[in-house]
Amino acid sequence: MKDLLMPWYGEIKFLHLIFVAIWAFSTAVAYQNYVLPAFRKALDNPDDADAIAHRNRMIEAFDRGVVLEHVAFPMVLLTGLTLLWLGGWSPESSGWLAAKLTLVLLVFIPMEIVDYRISHFSRPKREMRLAGDMDSYEAAIAFHWRFLRVSTVLVVTTIPTAIFLAVVKPF
């Protein structure tokens, strides 16, 4: 199998980079320009029904929009592991790789597990709202908001760090 895939190393690396870009950046614009302002307005105006309804529309749309990101992430892992295997890379011999894999194992995978749960494995927020289960709906939105606030800091620091490590290979 290795002999069959090795001539395609460059193409696999290209796919890895494309999937990294999709995973890393596909929700950034929606979060920054739609979700974040909607949440801020709703938090600043908790009695404003229009602000709350807008927040709800934005987070429900965001839930649908993360599908691209969530398809890309397993492909990042698959292509990354394939590159490790084909290239004979080793964390023991490459400090940059050890650091990058540490980010993957301690930050990216746990973060994505929570993100998948919120977006795909919990009862959909839209379904809760339509069923009139507003206590569960508000709890789900509050949890998602806390997750977004924590994960945003992780995303803007660790993803560029991982990309830097892979491109520059500083140690």
Side-chain angles (χ1 to χ4, degrees), residues 20-21 25 30 32 34 38-40 44 47 56 75 77 103 114 117 126 133 135 142 154-155:
V20 165
F25 304 115
Q32 180 66 34
Y34 301 103
F39 267 84
R40 285 183 175 155
D44 289 345
D47 297 324
N56 296 350
M75 297 307 295
L77 297 178
L103 290 175
V114 175
R117 180 195 159 270
R126 181 177 186 278
D133 187 1
D135 289 339
L154 294 173
V155 164

Side-chain angles (χ1 to χ4, degrees), residues 79-155:
T79 56
L81 290 171
T82 302
L83 292 169
L84 278 174
W85 175 60
L86 290 176
W89 293 100
S90 165
E92 293 84 22
S93 62
S94 304
W96 68 269
L97 181 59
K100 183 180 169 203
L101 291 176
T102 299
L103 290 175
V104 170
L105 293 171
L106 297 180
V107 178
F108 302 153
I109 289 175
M111 182 174 63
E112 287 303 306
I113 288 170
V114 175
D115 200 13
Y116 279 63
R117 180 195 159 270
I118 290 170
S119 299
H120 307 295
F121 299 117
S122 296
R123 185 175 172 208
K125 287 186 243 359
R126 181 177 186 278
E127 185 180 300
M128 290 178 209
R129 181 178 52 78
L130 292 174
D133 187 1
M134 296 313 287
D135 289 339
S136 296
Y137 185 76
E138 288 299 327
I141 285 180
F143 182 81
H144 202 155
W145 177 239
R146 282 191 306 275
F147 170 77
L148 289 171
R149 289 176 54 213
V150 170
S151 65
T152 298
V153 173
L154 294 173
V155 164

Side-chain angles (χ1 to χ4, degrees), residues 1-35:
M1 183 67 149
K2 195 172 189 176
D3 290 337
L4 179 68
L5 291 176
M6 193 55 173
W8 298 96
Y9 186 88
E11 288 80 358
I12 295 167
K13 189 173 188 178
F14 171 77
L15 288 174
H16 182 69
L17 293 172
I18 291 296
F19 288 125
V20 165
I22 292 168
W23 169 69
F25 304 115
S26 63
T27 59
V29 171
Y31 174 74
Q32 180 66 34
N33 294 313
Y34 301 103
V35 173

Side-chain angles (χ1 to χ4, degrees), residues 60-76:
E60 288 176 22
F62 191 75
D63 279 345
R64 291 186 305 275
V66 296
V67 170
L68 189 58
E69 171 195 342
H70 292 161
V71 168
F73 188 69
M75 297 307 295
V76 168

